[in-house]
Amino acid sequence: MNSPSASTTTSGRVAQEAERRRTFAVISHPDAGKSTLTEALALHAKMISEAGAIHGKSGRKSTVSDWMEMEKARGISVSSTALQFEYGDCVINLVDTPGHSDFSEDTYRVLTAVDAAVMLIDAAKGLEPQTLKLFQVCRHRGIPVITVINKWDRPGRAPLELLDEISERIGLIPTPLFLPVGIAGDFRGLLRRGEDGAAAEYIHFIRTAGGATIAPEEMFTPEQALEREGEPWETAAEESELLSATGQDHDQEMFLAGQTSPVIYASAMLNFGVRELLDTLVALAPAPGPRADIAGTEREPAEPFSAVVFKVQAGMDAAHRDRLAFMRIVSGEFERGMVVTHAQTGRPFATKYALTVFGRERATVDTAYPGDVVGLVNATALGPGHTLYVDKKVEFPPIPSFAPEHFATLRARSAGKYKQFRKAIDQLDSEGVVQVLRNDLRGDASPVLAAVGPMQFEVVTARMQAEFNVETQLDFLPYQLARRTDSESRAELDRQRGVEVFTRSDGAILALFSDKWRLQYIQKEMPELTLELLVAAT
Ligand code: G4P
C-alpha cells in the first residue's frame, strides 16, 4: 500500500508525464504519403538514422494475399500499432492505422485512441474519399485536426485553391501556419506567418540525396527572403495577408473546438516541413486530458491507472495463437506485471507481457503513462471498447460500431463443422473483426457479416480456416447501406422491398437497404419510421 505522500508524488509524476505527451494518428487516402511521413517523423526523432529503415520500399505490399502472408510471417498483425519517440521535452505517440490500402473498422477505432489527427493531403489530388470518411469520425469525436499538404516538391494545385476546397467541402476553416515559397514542383521553403498574417520568417530548405537524411534549413528575415527569392516570396507574403483578411489566422480555441485547422505545406519525401509539423504538434496539439466514463464522470490523467482497449488482434498463424489487445492509457501509471481489473467481467488481469509494437519491432514496455499505447499479450477476454483499471473503479463508454457498407452471408461448407463455426463466429465477433447480424428468417447457420471494408471478410474466412479449421462459403448480399432502427419500425420495414432488418450482436437493430434511392424513397413515404445514420455513414 502506498503511503499518502508516495501516492501524491506518483500523481504529480503522472500529471507531468501526461502533460508532455502528444498522441495522434495520420488520416489520409492511400498513396498520400502516410508511410513516408511516418519514416520522416521517426528520422527527425533520430530513432532511425536513415529513412527507409522502418518501411522499406521492397517490403511494401498491397494485395490481399501478400498482406496475409506478411501478417503470417510476422506471427502477429502489424496493423494499428504505435510509434513512440521523444522530441525535445515531449513524448510523441503516433498511432498507426492499417498499412494496407483496405479500409476497415480498425482504421476508425484507432481514432478513439488519439487526442489529435494529422490530415495528410496530396497537393495534386486534394481531399480524397478515405480522408473524408476519417475526417467525419474526427469531427464526430471532437478530435482537433492539423492539415499537412504533402508532395509540394512535385506539380500540384495552387496553395489557396487547396485551402478553399477544405473549407467548401468539409466546412473546416484552414489557418496556415506556414505557406510555401515556390509553386508546387518548385518547393524552396516556407514562409512562417506571424501576427496578422505578416511574414515572420523564411525557412529555406536544402535538399539532401534522396531525402534520406534530415533536410538542413536556413533561416532568413523577410527582407533577406525578398532579395533571395524575389517573386515567389512576394506571392507567398501576399497570400498570407489575403488569408488574414478573410480571418484565416490560427486561433487555439477554435482549433481545439474542431472549427479550424492549422495547415503546413510539406514534402515528406524530402523531409521538408517535417520539423515544422513536430513543432506544431508540441505547441498546439492537446496533451491527454480527462475522459468521461459511462456515467459522465471524468477520469483525470493523474488518477489511478485506467485504460481503454481500442483494438484486438489475433495471430494469423494457427501454431502461434497470440492475441494482442492494444490499450490506450487514460489515467495513472502503468507498470508491467501489475494486476488490473477488467471492468466488463470484474475479473483480475495480470499484465505480465506488455509490448509496444511498430512494424516488425516489438519491445517490452515496463512503464507507461496517459496517452501511451501498450499491447497486452494473450488477453483473451479483452475486446474493443473494454476498460481496465486499478483501485478506483471506472468503465468507459463502448467504442461505437461504424457504418458498414459491405454485407455477405457466411456458412460452413460442411454441416459437420457447425459447432466450430458457431464458436469461431462468436470469437471473431467479440474481437470486433466484423459485425455479425442475425434475423429469424436466415437462422443461425448463415449469419450476415457486415463490414466497413471488404478485407474484413477475407480476414474472417482466412482465420476460420487457419485457427478453427472450418472451410466457409461467403456470399455477397445486394445491400449497400445500413441505418439503425427500432423495434417499432421493424415490422413496417420488413414489409418493404429491397430492405432487410437484422439484430446485431450488441442488440442494435439495423435495416439494410439495396441502395440509397430505396432508402430515400422509404424515408419520404414513411417519415414516421426511425432510420438513424450510423457513425461515419456515407
Ligand atoms: P501511403 O502510406 O499513404 O499509402 O503512401 P506512401 O508513403 O507509401 O507514398 C505513396 C507514394 O508517394 C510513394 O511512391 C512515395 O514515394 C510517394 N511520396 C510520398 N511522399 C511524397 C512527397 O512528399 N513527394 C513526392 N514526390 N512523393 C511522395 P511509390 O509510388 O511507392 O514509389 P516511387 O514514387 O518512389 O516510385
Side-chain angles (χ1 to χ4, degrees):
M1 201 58 190
N2 284 343
S3 69
S5 63
S7 64
T8 318
T9 331
T10 310
S11 70
R13 182 172 63 237
V14 172
Q16 256 179 12
E17 288 292 340
E19 196 48 45
R20 71 190 193 105
R21 274 161 169 78
R22 300 289 181 274
T23 301
F24 76 105
V26 176
I27 59 169
S28 61
H29 194 81
D31 263 1
K34 186 170 58 118
S35 317
T36 312
L37 180 67
T38 305
E39 282 165 21
L41 289 169
L43 174 70
H44 269 264
K46 304 199 172 53
M47 245 195 55
I48 50 172
S49 55
E50 229 176 68
I54 285 185
H55 186 138
K57 283 266 147 86
S58 57
R60 201 168 278 169
K61 302 281 169 72
S62 59
T63 66
V64 172
S65 58
D66 282 349
W67 180 71
M68 295 281 196
E69 282 309 312
M70 194 165 84
E71 307 282 87
K72 249 196 226 170
R74 295 178 192 183
I76 55 148
S77 166
V78 295
S79 39
S80 288
T81 52
L83 173 68
Q84 185 181 67
F85 54 86
E86 299 234 359
Y87 181 71
D89 292 333
C90 275
V91 176
I92 312 263
N93 290 308
L94 166 53
V95 189
D96 192 28
T97 43
H100 47 79
S101 61
D102 180 60
F103 195 61
S104 72
E105 282 199 83
D106 283 340
T107 326
Y108 284 143
R109 288 193 189 119
V110 164
L111 296 176
T112 66
V114 299
D115 302 313
V118 166
M119 179 163 78
L120 186 68
I121 295 174
D122 183 320
K125 295 182 181 156
L127 287 170
E128 296 180 85
Q130 205 148 301
T131 320
L132 288 171
K133 285 188 188 180
L134 290 162
F135 171 75
Q136 294 307 344
V137 178
C138 291
R139 169 165 279 167
H140 185 82
R141 299 196 62 85
I143 299 168
V145 173
I146 295 168
T147 302
V148 172
I149 297 179
N150 190 31
K151 307 196 187 182
W152 202 258
D153 60 289
R154 74 182 192 198
R157 292 166 39 188
L160 300 195
E161 187 193 320
L162 284 154
L163 301 182
D164 287 346
E165 187 189 358
I166 295 171
S167 52
E168 277 160 26
R169 286 186 66 191
I170 56 178
L172 182 70
I173 304 166
T175 54
L177 304 171
F178 302 90
L179 282 170
V181 177
I183 56 166
D186 179 26
F187 197 5
R188 303 178 185 195
L190 289 172
L191 173 155
R192 186 165 64 77
R193 300 181 69 215
E195 284 287 301
D196 300 325
E201 183 183 34
Y202 174 45
I203 305 157
H204 172 64
F205 297 123
I206 299 159
R207 275 185 191 240
T208 61
T213 53
I214 292 173
E217 297 177 343
E218 281 181 296
M219 311 300 177
F220 296 102
T221 63
E223 294 72 33
Q224 290 169 322
L226 180 63
E227 201 171 304
R228 210 186 144 88
E229 303 294 352
E231 205 185 314
W233 171 263
E234 265 181 326
T235 309
E238 277 166 21
E239 285 168 343
S240 181
E241 282 172 23
L242 209 68
L243 287 167
S244 279
T246 52
Q248 288 173 265
D249 295 322
H250 174 71
D251 178 312
Q252 185 65 7
E253 241 170 72
M254 286 177 80
F255 160 58
L256 293 179
Q259 291 164 342
T260 63
S261 177
V263 181
I264 300 164
Y265 293 78
S267 165
M269 197 179 77
L270 299 179
N271 292 307
F272 290 1
V274 177
R275 177 185 69 81
E276 288 70 18
L277 171 60
L278 282 167
D279 289 344
T280 302
L281 280 163
V282 168
L284 308 183
R291 182 182 280 231
D293 68 8
I294 44 175
T297 311
E298 296 204 317
R299 182 85 159 197
E300 295 291 335
E303 289 192 69
F305 170 83
S306 69
V308 179
V309 175
F310 63 96
K311 180 188 157 62
V312 172
Q313 189 71 48
M316 304 294 292
D317 185 348
H320 202 265
R321 270 202 209 172
D322 68 351
R323 193 173 132 103
L324 275 168
F326 290 96
M327 64 174 177
R328 137 94 198 217
I329 298 174
V330 174
S331 64
E333 186 172 54
F334 170 78
E335 281 180 80
R336 188 166 60 86
M338 76 199 280
V339 178
V340 300
T341 306
H342 177 216
Q344 275 64 26
T345 57
R347 295 219 180 98
F349 178 81
T351 58
K352 192 167 166 202
Y353 301 103
L355 303 168
T356 54
V357 181
F358 193 81
R360 275 161 240 245
E361 310 296 328
R362 287 171 135 195
T364 296
V365 177
D366 290 318
T367 323
Y369 294 97
D372 291 348
V373 169
V374 175
L376 298 171
V377 180
N378 285 334
T380 29
L382 307 185
H386 289 188
T387 303
L388 299 170
Y389 67 88
V390 295
D391 297 344
K392 191 179 159 208
K393 189 171 179 200
V394 65
E395 186 176 340
F396 296 109
I399 295 179
S401 292
F402 299 95
E405 292 175 15
H406 304 271
F407 307 91
T409 58
L410 188 76
R411 62 179 176 81
R413 277 189 199 270
S414 141
K417 293 276 187 180
Y418 180 59
K419 242 172 99 180
Q420 288 98 308
F421 175 77
R422 284 277 320 247
K423 194 170 153 232
I425 283 284
D426 288 348
Q427 170 71 28
L428 299 173
D429 189 12
S430 77
E431 281 178 27
V433 173
V434 76
Q435 298 179 32
V436 180
L437 315 181
R438 295 185 172 92
N439 64 21
D440 290 343
L441 210 69
R442 289 183 187 269
D444 239 10
S446 61
V448 170
L449 307 185
V452 167
M455 197 185 277
Q456 288 175 252
F457 295 143
E458 312 251 355
V459 173
V460 170
T461 47
R463 287 189 53 190
M464 279 272 181
Q465 175 83 63
E467 287 170 45
F468 301 90
N469 195 22
V470 182
E471 237 187 276
T472 49
Q473 168 81 34
L474 186 83
D475 293 300
F476 282 90
L477 289 173
Y479 299 119
Q480 288 179 3
L481 64 172
R483 288 288 183 274
R484 185 192 274 261
T485 183
D486 54 24
S487 41
E488 284 83 63
S489 306
R490 183 169 196 156
E492 188 56 49
L493 285 165
D494 261 333
R495 279 195 283 274
Q496 302 301 315
R497 205 166 28 84
V499 185
E500 193 171 346
V501 188
F502 292 89
T503 306
R504 195 168 58 192
S505 48
D506 64 354
I509 305 176
L510 300 192
L512 311 192
F513 296 85
S514 51
D515 54 51
K516 67 171 188 246
W517 295 281
R518 196 72 209 133
L519 169 67
Q520 281 165 2
Y521 175 81
I522 290 170
Q523 277 173 322
K524 196 164 145 258
E525 294 296 307
M526 288 166 274
E528 71 283 3
L529 295 181
T530 305
L531 289 169
E532 288 167 13
L533 214 65
L534 291 128
V535 180
T538 45

